[in-house]
Amino acid sequence: MHLPIFSDILVILLLSVGVILLFNRLKLPSIIGFLVTGMVAGPFALGLVKAQAQVDQLAELGVMLLMFTIGLEFSLKSLARIKRAVFLGGALQVGLTIGAVYLLARVGGFAPATAVFWGFLFSLSSTAIVLKLLQDRLEMEAVHGQVTLAILIFQDLIVVPMMLLTPLLAGQGSDNPWLDLGLMAAKMVGLLALVFVGARYLMPRLLFAVARTRSRELFLLTIIGTCLGVAWLTSEAGLSMALGAFMAGLIIAESEYSYEAVSNVLPFREIFASFFFVSIGMLFDVRFLLAHPVQILLLTVGVMALKLLLTVGAAAALRLPLRSVLLVGLALCQVGEFAFILSRVGLDAGVIQPADYQLFLAVSVLTMSLTPVVLLFAEPLVSAALRLPLPAALLRPAGSGVAAAAGLGEQPAAVSDHLVVVGYGLNGRNLVHTAKFAHIPYVIIETNPVTVRRERERGEPILYGDATQEHVLEQARVTHARVMVVAISDPASSRRVVVALRRLNPRACIFVRTRYIAEIEELRRLGATEVIPEELETSIEIFSRVLAKYLVPMHEIDQLIRELRADSYQMLRGRSLSSSDWSAMHLHLSDSELATVPVGAEAALTGKTLSEAEVRQRFGVSLLAIRRGGQMLDQIDADTVIEPGDTLYVFGKQEQVSGFARHLA
């Protein structure tokens, strides 16, 4: 049986691959590539897609998954931390844009409802493009990066009420608009109650029970089922299915399973969202662009200039320095992907006409295409602007007061140069205890929901999720980590984790615990820095204790172990040392050692100078250095006083060092 949708999907996928490869070479966003794919395959160009209605249904699913992941990634804690920048900066940016566009549209002859809707569309910016570019430029932690993120969060949230108000703008409600608003408010209250009950009582228990089964299939079915179920409920209540998907995301967002949920949903979201952007491109008539190039170009420049000015005004209200204000304005001067979702709602409701819709698509695609170029030249443009003769108040330097004024002052420092521990079994726990003792910052990733819940209650920085998923690793900030340790028992998963870690952080050290020596070479080939096989470490522990029972000097045993590990265990694997090498090894080793000796609180030498202590004459050891209060003393001489708590670095024969250590205990 042949269905047209199958051939259409194949055409879209193959064409998308070629277009996206080309756009990646041109350093253009993939969203633009999907739009171009739709233009080429649509009825106004080659006409390759026949079952456009079915493609639109796939696009609707893509919209739902987009809204679902926004809800999943929405954090009330993060929002509370930057609430002033979100609600003041975001509300000003959206409000000013809607007001300005409304006035211009009214002057252009549009009806009031249509003018408001144009304001809705042009107030939104591209979250996907802007955040990707800021992350690539390492600017997310800067003040302008945080304010840009805050305004984008507000825009993503305000899309939901805009979608609810669009049918009212089209006059699809009753004769009493206040009654419609009241009914909508009542439905929203009911939805919020559902979100509260689900997030507080239902979903944590359900997801905990599902996660305990360790079944990825069951977890995925539960997540997708929750999304579709709540979307269906909102549809039955007369509201948008996209709104229901957003609410479903909120229900799961506050649980410890949100990161794992996002990593499971992301592949489906990317596939179906690509169909949405392709379907948008199919609606675009290339002939319209060719017929009105000057008008479209002028409108594109006008929209970007207007958004730049209004966003600068909104950011200035946060009392930022001029440099940050200008960078925020340049980052948000395009039209966003959620404007496409909203535009489809407006087109279906009749708020805008097809010809105006074509104009909107052309202008929006051009603004998004120009965004990488704008941000590429953002720093030179801002530097040139700052060289102009401007009032001193506009040029005040950034500082802690600036961050506080923007509502960013309470933001905790993001963890960096830290240790990432994948797996919280016995090895992981011991490593974490050591890191805590040494004051090394760390983040744990674990798939056992019972362990995650218990350790979170104890205050441990632990994430629930599969470390083979890049989204989970990004939440642990592996791109900023110094060392990453993979301490899980599944060899196949260990290999996938190593590949994902090395792809995200090419510079960090990756240590992997494995069971068998045969896995060393493969893990190193995949990117592991060091591989520690349990079977050989067990054999090393056994033979070191056996040799100690035969009274082999401990320093010779330690030397043998160091040689084994430095040679990646080749001596045990292939007998790289001859029998004479093994038997004579201790003959070439000194019986002296370098040791650190702590000074006890009541040691006899405390309070004495080095000349009075006569360390060399009395104990036969040489004092090389002293560590005090966590720092090495720059220089020591005969008048240096030994104090309680000092750590002395000494060199001498083993028995003499041992006697000196006992004297200072």
Short mmCIF file of all heavy atoms in Angstrom, two decimals, residues 67-124:
data_model
loop_
_atom_site.label_atom_id
_atom_site.label_comp_id
_atom_site.label_asym_id
_atom_site.label_seq_id
_atom_site.Cartn_x
_atom_site.Cartn_y
_atom_site.Cartn_z
N MET A 67 6.69 23.62 22.52
CA MET A 67 6.13 24.23 23.72
C MET A 67 6.35 23.34 24.95
O MET A 67 6.57 23.83 26.06
CB MET A 67 4.63 24.50 23.53
CG MET A 67 4.30 25.45 22.39
SD MET A 67 5.04 27.08 22.62
CE MET A 67 4.11 27.70 24.01
N PHE A 68 6.32 22.03 24.75
CA PHE A 68 6.56 21.09 25.85
C PHE A 68 7.97 21.24 26.40
O PHE A 68 8.18 21.31 27.63
CB PHE A 68 6.32 19.67 25.35
CG PHE A 68 6.51 18.61 26.41
CD1 PHE A 68 5.82 18.66 27.61
CD2 PHE A 68 7.37 17.54 26.18
CE1 PHE A 68 5.99 17.67 28.57
CE2 PHE A 68 7.54 16.55 27.14
CZ PHE A 68 6.85 16.62 28.33
N THR A 69 8.97 21.33 25.52
CA THR A 69 10.35 21.47 26.00
C THR A 69 10.59 22.84 26.63
O THR A 69 11.41 22.96 27.54
CB THR A 69 11.34 21.26 24.84
OG1 THR A 69 10.97 22.08 23.73
CG2 THR A 69 11.36 19.81 24.40
N ILE A 70 9.88 23.87 26.16
CA ILE A 70 9.99 25.17 26.83
C ILE A 70 9.50 25.05 28.27
O ILE A 70 10.12 25.56 29.21
CB ILE A 70 9.19 26.24 26.07
CG1 ILE A 70 9.93 26.65 24.82
CG2 ILE A 70 8.97 27.47 26.93
CD1 ILE A 70 9.24 27.73 24.04
N GLY A 71 8.37 24.37 28.45
CA GLY A 71 7.88 24.16 29.80
C GLY A 71 8.83 23.33 30.64
O GLY A 71 9.05 23.61 31.82
N LEU A 72 9.46 22.30 30.03
CA LEU A 72 10.41 21.47 30.76
C LEU A 72 11.63 22.25 31.22
O LEU A 72 12.16 22.04 32.31
CB LEU A 72 10.86 20.30 29.88
CG LEU A 72 9.94 19.09 29.75
CD1 LEU A 72 10.47 18.14 28.71
CD2 LEU A 72 9.77 18.39 31.08
N GLU A 73 12.10 23.16 30.37
CA GLU A 73 13.32 23.90 30.67
C GLU A 73 13.05 25.16 31.47
O GLU A 73 13.98 25.88 31.82
CB GLU A 73 14.04 24.26 29.37
CG GLU A 73 14.55 23.03 28.63
CD GLU A 73 15.15 23.37 27.29
OE1 GLU A 73 14.72 24.37 26.69
OE2 GLU A 73 16.05 22.63 26.84
N PHE A 74 11.77 25.42 31.76
CA PHE A 74 11.41 26.60 32.53
C PHE A 74 11.59 26.31 34.01
O PHE A 74 11.00 25.38 34.55
CB PHE A 74 9.96 27.00 32.23
CG PHE A 74 9.50 28.20 33.00
CD1 PHE A 74 9.94 29.45 32.66
CD2 PHE A 74 8.61 28.07 34.05
CE1 PHE A 74 9.52 30.56 33.35
CE2 PHE A 74 8.18 29.16 34.75
CZ PHE A 74 8.63 30.42 34.41
N SER A 75 12.41 27.08 34.67
CA SER A 75 12.71 26.86 36.08
C SER A 75 12.25 28.05 36.90
O SER A 75 12.66 29.18 36.65
CB SER A 75 14.22 26.65 36.29
OG SER A 75 14.55 26.68 37.65
N LEU A 76 11.37 27.79 37.86
CA LEU A 76 10.90 28.86 38.73
C LEU A 76 12.06 29.43 39.55
O LEU A 76 12.09 30.63 39.84
CB LEU A 76 9.80 28.34 39.66
CG LEU A 76 8.48 27.96 38.97
CD1 LEU A 76 7.52 27.36 39.98
CD2 LEU A 76 7.85 29.17 38.30
N LYS A 77 13.03 28.58 39.91
CA LYS A 77 14.17 29.07 40.69
C LYS A 77 15.03 30.02 39.85
O LYS A 77 15.45 31.08 40.32
CB LYS A 77 15.00 27.88 41.18
CG LYS A 77 14.27 26.99 42.17
CD LYS A 77 15.12 25.81 42.57
CE LYS A 77 14.36 24.91 43.54
NZ LYS A 77 15.16 23.71 43.90
N SER A 78 15.28 29.63 38.59
CA SER A 78 16.06 30.51 37.71
C SER A 78 15.31 31.80 37.45
O SER A 78 15.91 32.88 37.39
CB SER A 78 16.36 29.79 36.39
OG SER A 78 17.11 28.63 36.63
N LEU A 79 13.99 31.69 37.27
CA LEU A 79 13.19 32.88 37.02
C LEU A 79 13.24 33.82 38.22
O LEU A 79 13.36 35.04 38.06
CB LEU A 79 11.75 32.49 36.72
CG LEU A 79 10.78 33.62 36.43
CD1 LEU A 79 11.17 34.34 35.15
CD2 LEU A 79 9.36 33.11 36.32
N ALA A 80 13.17 33.27 39.43
CA ALA A 80 13.20 34.11 40.62
C ALA A 80 14.54 34.83 40.76
O ALA A 80 14.60 35.95 41.26
CB ALA A 80 12.93 33.25 41.86
N ARG A 81 15.62 34.20 40.28
CA ARG A 81 16.94 34.79 40.43
C ARG A 81 17.12 36.02 39.54
O ARG A 81 17.81 36.97 39.91
CB ARG A 81 18.00 33.74 40.09
CG ARG A 81 19.40 34.13 40.51
CD ARG A 81 20.36 32.98 40.32
NE ARG A 81 20.44 32.54 38.96
CZ ARG A 81 20.24 31.28 38.55
NH1 ARG A 81 19.94 30.36 39.43
NH2 ARG A 81 20.33 30.95 37.29
N ILE A 82 16.50 36.01 38.36
CA ILE A 82 16.66 37.14 37.43
C ILE A 82 15.30 37.77 37.14
O ILE A 82 15.07 38.28 36.04
CB ILE A 82 17.35 36.68 36.13
CG1 ILE A 82 16.59 35.55 35.48
CG2 ILE A 82 18.79 36.28 36.39
CD1 ILE A 82 17.14 35.15 34.11
N LYS A 83 14.41 37.74 38.14
CA LYS A 83 13.03 38.15 37.90
C LYS A 83 12.92 39.60 37.46
O LYS A 83 12.06 39.94 36.64
CB LYS A 83 12.19 37.92 39.16
CG LYS A 83 12.69 38.62 40.42
CD LYS A 83 11.83 38.25 41.61
CE LYS A 83 12.30 38.92 42.89
NZ LYS A 83 13.65 38.47 43.29
N ARG A 84 13.77 40.49 37.97
CA ARG A 84 13.65 41.90 37.59
C ARG A 84 14.01 42.09 36.11
O ARG A 84 13.33 42.82 35.39
CB ARG A 84 14.57 42.77 38.45
CG ARG A 84 14.37 44.27 38.21
CD ARG A 84 15.10 45.10 39.25
NE ARG A 84 14.84 46.51 39.06
CZ ARG A 84 15.54 47.30 38.26
NH1 ARG A 84 16.56 46.80 37.58
NH2 ARG A 84 15.23 48.58 38.13
N ALA A 85 15.08 41.42 35.68
CA ALA A 85 15.45 41.52 34.27
C ALA A 85 14.40 40.88 33.37
O ALA A 85 14.12 41.37 32.28
CB ALA A 85 16.81 40.85 34.05
N VAL A 86 13.78 39.78 33.85
CA VAL A 86 12.75 39.11 33.05
C VAL A 86 11.52 39.98 32.92
O VAL A 86 11.06 40.30 31.82
CB VAL A 86 12.39 37.74 33.66
CG1 VAL A 86 11.18 37.15 32.95
CG2 VAL A 86 13.57 36.78 33.56
N PHE A 87 10.97 40.38 34.07
CA PHE A 87 9.65 41.03 34.04
C PHE A 87 9.73 42.52 33.71
O PHE A 87 8.84 43.04 33.03
CB PHE A 87 8.94 40.81 35.37
CG PHE A 87 8.56 39.38 35.59
CD1 PHE A 87 9.22 38.60 36.54
CD2 PHE A 87 7.58 38.79 34.83
CE1 PHE A 87 8.88 37.27 36.73
CE2 PHE A 87 7.23 37.46 35.01
CZ PHE A 87 7.88 36.71 35.96
N LEU A 88 10.77 43.20 34.15
CA LEU A 88 10.88 44.61 33.78
C LEU A 88 11.46 44.75 32.37
O LEU A 88 10.84 45.38 31.49
CB LEU A 88 11.77 45.35 34.78
CG LEU A 88 12.01 46.85 34.46
CD1 LEU A 88 10.68 47.59 34.37
CD2 LEU A 88 12.92 47.48 35.51
N GLY A 89 12.62 44.15 32.13
CA GLY A 89 13.22 44.25 30.80
C GLY A 89 12.36 43.61 29.73
O GLY A 89 12.14 44.19 28.66
N GLY A 90 11.85 42.40 30.00
CA GLY A 90 11.03 41.71 29.01
C GLY A 90 9.72 42.42 28.74
O GLY A 90 9.30 42.58 27.59
N ALA A 91 9.04 42.86 29.80
CA ALA A 91 7.76 43.54 29.62
C ALA A 91 7.93 44.85 28.87
O ALA A 91 7.11 45.21 28.01
CB ALA A 91 7.11 43.78 30.97
N LEU A 92 8.99 45.59 29.17
CA LEU A 92 9.24 46.85 28.46
C LEU A 92 9.54 46.58 26.98
O LEU A 92 9.01 47.28 26.10
CB LEU A 92 10.41 47.59 29.11
CG LEU A 92 10.09 48.38 30.38
CD1 LEU A 92 11.36 48.95 30.97
CD2 LEU A 92 9.10 49.50 30.07
N GLN A 93 10.38 45.59 26.72
CA GLN A 93 10.72 45.30 25.32
C GLN A 93 9.48 44.89 24.52
O GLN A 93 9.22 45.41 23.43
CB GLN A 93 11.79 44.21 25.27
CG GLN A 93 12.34 43.93 23.87
CD GLN A 93 11.53 42.89 23.11
OE1 GLN A 93 10.90 42.02 23.71
NE2 GLN A 93 11.54 42.98 21.80
N VAL A 94 8.69 43.97 25.06
CA VAL A 94 7.49 43.52 24.35
C VAL A 94 6.45 44.63 24.28
O VAL A 94 5.85 44.88 23.22
CB VAL A 94 6.91 42.26 25.04
CG1 VAL A 94 5.55 41.90 24.46
CG2 VAL A 94 7.86 41.09 24.91
N GLY A 95 6.23 45.32 25.39
CA GLY A 95 5.22 46.37 25.42
C GLY A 95 5.56 47.53 24.48
O GLY A 95 4.69 48.02 23.74
N LEU A 96 6.81 47.98 24.51
CA LEU A 96 7.22 49.08 23.62
C LEU A 96 7.10 48.68 22.16
O LEU A 96 6.67 49.48 21.32
CB LEU A 96 8.66 49.50 23.94
CG LEU A 96 8.89 50.23 25.27
CD1 LEU A 96 10.38 50.43 25.51
CD2 LEU A 96 8.16 51.58 25.27
N THR A 97 7.49 47.43 21.84
CA THR A 97 7.41 46.99 20.45
C THR A 97 5.96 46.90 19.98
O THR A 97 5.63 47.35 18.87
CB THR A 97 8.10 45.62 20.29
OG1 THR A 97 9.43 45.70 20.79
CG2 THR A 97 8.15 45.21 18.83
N ILE A 98 5.09 46.34 20.82
CA ILE A 98 3.67 46.25 20.44
C ILE A 98 3.09 47.65 20.23
O ILE A 98 2.39 47.91 19.24
CB ILE A 98 2.87 45.48 21.51
CG1 ILE A 98 3.29 44.00 21.52
CG2 ILE A 98 1.37 45.59 21.24
CD1 ILE A 98 2.65 43.20 22.63
N GLY A 99 3.40 48.57 21.13
CA GLY A 99 2.88 49.93 21.01
C GLY A 99 3.37 50.64 19.77
O GLY A 99 2.59 51.27 19.03
N ALA A 100 4.68 50.54 19.50
CA ALA A 100 5.24 51.23 18.34
C ALA A 100 4.71 50.64 17.04
O ALA A 100 4.34 51.38 16.10
CB ALA A 100 6.76 51.16 18.38
N VAL A 101 4.68 49.31 16.96
CA VAL A 101 4.18 48.67 15.73
C VAL A 101 2.70 48.96 15.54
O VAL A 101 2.23 49.16 14.41
CB VAL A 101 4.46 47.15 15.78
CG1 VAL A 101 3.81 46.44 14.60
CG2 VAL A 101 5.96 46.88 15.78
N TYR A 102 1.95 49.00 16.62
CA TYR A 102 0.52 49.32 16.52
C TYR A 102 0.32 50.70 15.90
O TYR A 102 -0.50 50.86 14.97
CB TYR A 102 -0.12 49.26 17.91
CG TYR A 102 -1.56 49.74 17.93
CD1 TYR A 102 -2.59 48.89 17.58
CD2 TYR A 102 -1.88 51.05 18.30
CE1 TYR A 102 -3.92 49.32 17.59
CE2 TYR A 102 -3.18 51.50 18.31
CZ TYR A 102 -4.19 50.63 17.96
OH TYR A 102 -5.50 51.07 17.96
N LEU A 103 1.06 51.68 16.37
CA LEU A 103 0.92 53.03 15.83
C LEU A 103 1.32 53.07 14.35
O LEU A 103 0.61 53.69 13.53
CB LEU A 103 1.79 54.00 16.64
CG LEU A 103 1.36 54.24 18.10
CD1 LEU A 103 2.37 55.13 18.81
CD2 LEU A 103 -0.04 54.85 18.16
N LEU A 104 2.41 52.43 14.00
CA LEU A 104 2.84 52.43 12.60
C LEU A 104 1.84 51.69 11.71
O LEU A 104 1.57 52.12 10.57
CB LEU A 104 4.22 51.79 12.48
CG LEU A 104 5.38 52.57 13.12
CD1 LEU A 104 6.66 51.75 13.08
CD2 LEU A 104 5.59 53.90 12.40
N ALA A 105 1.30 50.58 12.22
CA ALA A 105 0.32 49.82 11.43
C ALA A 105 -0.97 50.60 11.25
O ALA A 105 -1.59 50.55 10.18
CB ALA A 105 0.05 48.47 12.10
N ARG A 106 -1.38 51.32 12.27
CA ARG A 106 -2.59 52.14 12.15
C ARG A 106 -2.37 53.25 11.12
O ARG A 106 -3.27 53.55 10.31
CB ARG A 106 -2.95 52.74 13.51
CG ARG A 106 -3.46 51.71 14.52
CD ARG A 106 -4.81 51.15 14.12
NE ARG A 106 -5.87 52.16 14.31
CZ ARG A 106 -7.00 52.21 13.61
NH1 ARG A 106 -7.19 51.34 12.64
NH2 ARG A 106 -7.90 53.14 13.85
N VAL A 107 -1.19 53.84 11.14
CA VAL A 107 -0.88 54.85 10.12
C VAL A 107 -0.90 54.22 8.73
O VAL A 107 -1.32 54.86 7.75
CB VAL A 107 0.49 55.50 10.41
CG1 VAL A 107 0.93 56.40 9.25
CG2 VAL A 107 0.44 56.29 11.70
N GLY A 108 -0.50 52.97 8.64
CA GLY A 108 -0.51 52.27 7.36
C GLY A 108 -1.87 51.78 6.93
O GLY A 108 -1.98 51.15 5.87
N GLY A 109 -2.90 52.02 7.73
CA GLY A 109 -4.26 51.68 7.32
C GLY A 109 -4.78 50.36 7.82
O GLY A 109 -5.86 49.91 7.40
N PHE A 110 -4.07 49.67 8.72
CA PHE A 110 -4.55 48.39 9.24
C PHE A 110 -5.60 48.60 10.32
O PHE A 110 -5.59 49.62 11.04
CB PHE A 110 -3.39 47.57 9.80
CG PHE A 110 -2.49 47.01 8.74
CD1 PHE A 110 -1.31 47.66 8.38
CD2 PHE A 110 -2.80 45.82 8.10
CE1 PHE A 110 -0.47 47.15 7.41
CE2 PHE A 110 -1.97 45.29 7.13
CZ PHE A 110 -0.80 45.96 6.78
N ALA A 111 -6.51 47.63 10.46
CA ALA A 111 -7.52 47.67 11.51
C ALA A 111 -6.86 47.54 12.88
O ALA A 111 -5.75 47.00 12.99
CB ALA A 111 -8.54 46.54 11.30
N PRO A 112 -7.51 48.01 13.96
CA PRO A 112 -6.89 47.95 15.29
C PRO A 112 -6.46 46.53 15.69
O PRO A 112 -5.37 46.34 16.22
CB PRO A 112 -7.98 48.49 16.21
CG PRO A 112 -8.80 49.38 15.33
CD PRO A 112 -8.78 48.75 13.97
N ALA A 113 -7.33 45.53 15.46
CA ALA A 113 -6.99 44.16 15.86
C ALA A 113 -5.77 43.66 15.09
O ALA A 113 -4.86 43.04 15.67
CB ALA A 113 -8.18 43.23 15.62
N THR A 114 -5.72 43.93 13.79
CA THR A 114 -4.56 43.51 12.99
C THR A 114 -3.30 44.24 13.41
O THR A 114 -2.21 43.66 13.45
CB THR A 114 -4.85 43.77 11.50
OG1 THR A 114 -6.05 43.09 11.12
CG2 THR A 114 -3.70 43.27 10.64
N ALA A 115 -3.44 45.54 13.74
CA ALA A 115 -2.28 46.32 14.18
C ALA A 115 -1.70 45.75 15.47
O ALA A 115 -0.48 45.65 15.63
CB ALA A 115 -2.68 47.78 14.37
N VAL A 116 -2.58 45.36 16.41
CA VAL A 116 -2.11 44.74 17.66
C VAL A 116 -1.39 43.42 17.35
O VAL A 116 -0.34 43.11 17.93
CB VAL A 116 -3.28 44.52 18.63
CG1 VAL A 116 -2.84 43.68 19.83
CG2 VAL A 116 -3.83 45.85 19.10
N PHE A 117 -1.97 42.65 16.43
CA PHE A 117 -1.37 41.36 16.11
C PHE A 117 0.00 41.52 15.47
O PHE A 117 0.91 40.74 15.75
CB PHE A 117 -2.30 40.57 15.19
CG PHE A 117 -1.85 39.16 14.96
CD1 PHE A 117 -1.95 38.21 15.96
CD2 PHE A 117 -1.31 38.78 13.74
CE1 PHE A 117 -1.53 36.91 15.76
CE2 PHE A 117 -0.87 37.49 13.53
CZ PHE A 117 -0.99 36.54 14.54
N TRP A 118 0.16 42.54 14.60
CA TRP A 118 1.49 42.80 14.06
C TRP A 118 2.48 43.12 15.18
O TRP A 118 3.65 42.71 15.14
CB TRP A 118 1.46 43.98 13.08
CG TRP A 118 0.90 43.67 11.72
CD1 TRP A 118 -0.13 44.30 11.09
CD2 TRP A 118 1.36 42.67 10.80
NE1 TRP A 118 -0.36 43.77 9.85
CE2 TRP A 118 0.56 42.75 9.64
CE3 TRP A 118 2.36 41.72 10.85
CZ2 TRP A 118 0.73 41.93 8.54
CZ3 TRP A 118 2.54 40.88 9.76
CH2 TRP A 118 1.73 40.98 8.62
N GLY A 119 2.02 43.84 16.18
CA GLY A 119 2.88 44.11 17.34
C GLY A 119 3.28 42.84 18.05
O GLY A 119 4.44 42.68 18.48
N PHE A 120 2.31 41.89 18.20
CA PHE A 120 2.63 40.60 18.79
C PHE A 120 3.77 39.93 18.02
O PHE A 120 4.75 39.44 18.62
CB PHE A 120 1.41 39.68 18.76
CG PHE A 120 0.34 40.02 19.76
CD1 PHE A 120 -0.85 39.31 19.79
CD2 PHE A 120 0.50 41.05 20.67
CE1 PHE A 120 -1.84 39.61 20.71
CE2 PHE A 120 -0.48 41.37 21.60
CZ PHE A 120 -1.66 40.64 21.61
N LEU A 121 3.64 39.88 16.70
CA LEU A 121 4.59 39.14 15.88
C LEU A 121 5.99 39.74 15.96
O LEU A 121 6.98 39.02 16.16
CB LEU A 121 4.12 39.11 14.42
CG LEU A 121 2.84 38.34 14.12
CD1 LEU A 121 2.50 38.42 12.63
CD2 LEU A 121 2.95 36.89 14.55
N PHE A 122 6.08 41.05 15.81
CA PHE A 122 7.40 41.68 15.73
C PHE A 122 8.05 41.89 17.11
O PHE A 122 9.23 42.25 17.18
CB PHE A 122 7.31 43.01 14.98
CG PHE A 122 7.06 42.84 13.51
CD1 PHE A 122 5.92 43.38 12.92
CD2 PHE A 122 7.94 42.14 12.72
CE1 PHE A 122 5.68 43.23 11.57
CE2 PHE A 122 7.71 41.97 11.36
CZ PHE A 122 6.57 42.51 10.78
N SER A 123 7.31 41.65 18.17
CA SER A 123 7.91 41.79 19.51
C SER A 123 8.76 40.59 19.88
O SER A 123 9.55 40.64 20.83
CB SER A 123 6.82 41.99 20.56
OG SER A 123 6.01 40.82 20.67
N LEU A 124 8.59 39.47 19.16
CA LEU A 124 9.28 38.23 19.51
C LEU A 124 10.62 38.12 18.78
O LEU A 124 10.74 38.51 17.63
CB LEU A 124 8.41 37.02 19.17
CG LEU A 124 7.02 37.01 19.82
CD1 LEU A 124 6.20 35.83 19.32
CD2 LEU A 124 7.14 36.97 21.34
#
